[in-house]
Amino acid sequence: ICVPRGRVDTIFVYCPEQKVHRKVLIYIPPVEQDSFPVLYLMHGISGDEATWIECGRVRQVMDNLLEQGRVKPMILVMPDCNVPNKLEPKKRTNMLRNMFNFPILRMGDFEKAFPGMHKEICKLYPISSKQKDHYVAGLSSGAMQAANIDRDQPELFARVGLFSPARMKE
């Protein structure tokens, strides 16, 4: 049986707060609808925007779950969440540099830029305007970022998923 496949778009969204274009991967389900719920997936400190696709096999998982009727069609947004990565993608940070820059994660730079990025993505894709259809989840440092975004902008998301969240004592 051939399972219909969603597509993955690569876009760059300008974040004026950081003066950087952030690379974002977007999974679009293989169905036609006027609008879709949206789930943001934040990667951990050792990853980048492609980690959910390459390691988590998000495209194959979603395609199979949709085929089985186990999930509703939704758009998945996987941004580059690396705070110190204020360079073009070809000059990426790596895990070691991210580890040495870990205190930068606590500055909230990515979280401050997130609402503008979210608004821009909602303009580009057929995303539902209802808060009840907006979700965010993250792994490790990405979970910390998701929690911070929800704390600072509780009106953005209906649900938050935190997987092995990194956290600060504060």
Side-chain angles (χ1 to χ4, degrees):
I1 296 173
C2 183
V3 174
R5 297 188 64 184
R7 74 175 198 268
V8 176
D9 292 352
T10 300
I11 64 169
F12 291 86
V13 178
Y14 185 70
C15 297
E17 299 84 355
Q18 300 165 317
K19 298 180 176 66
V20 65
H21 283 89
R22 284 212 171 267
K23 190 174 182 181
V24 181
L25 300 184
I26 313 250
Y27 169 85
I28 311 297
V31 298
E32 294 291 325
Q33 282 182 201
D34 290 339
S35 69
F36 294 93
V38 63
L39 168 61
Y40 284 82
L41 293 171
M42 312 300 200
H43 61 77
I45 201 165
S46 63
D48 62 19
E49 69 287 338
T51 300
W52 290 102
I53 297 288
E54 294 170 1
C55 299
R57 299 177 49 97
V58 136
R59 181 179 181 177
Q60 291 88 343
V61 169
M62 282 300 293
D63 289 346
N64 288 328
L65 290 173
L66 285 165
E67 178 69 19
Q68 296 164 13
R70 296 175 62 190
V71 295
K72 291 185 206 175
M74 67 177 69
I75 290 176
L76 304 181
V77 178
M78 296 150 283
D80 172 9
C81 303
N82 289 314
V83 177
N85 191 5
K86 295 185 178 181
L87 306 169
E88 306 93 56
K90 54 187 162 197
K91 295 180 183 174
R92 287 210 170 278
T93 59
N94 59 30
M95 182 170 136
L96 192 57
R97 277 183 59 197
N98 282 340
M99 294 296 231
F100 286 127
N101 286 309
F102 191 72
I104 294 173
L105 284 172
R106 295 177 19 206
M107 294 170 52
D109 281 358
F110 178 77
E111 291 91 325
K112 289 174 191 157
F114 187 85
M117 183 176 66
H118 175 61
K119 185 184 277 187
E120 195 61 34
I121 290 167
C122 286
K123 284 184 204 170
L124 295 171
Y125 289 90
I127 292 172
S128 168
S129 61
K130 299 173 185 161
Q131 183 212 24
K132 73 176 187 72
D133 292 333
H134 292 217
Y135 316 102
V136 63
L139 170 68
S140 190
S141 64
M144 181 176 67
Q145 290 171 322
N148 291 342
I149 290 165
D150 185 57
R151 179 199 63 213
D152 297 341
Q153 289 97 27
E155 72 285 351
L156 288 182
F157 297 103
R159 299 278 186 269
V160 180
L162 308 178
F163 310 118
S164 301
R167 63 181 196 95
M168 301 299 141
K169 287 186 179 182
E170 309 85 55

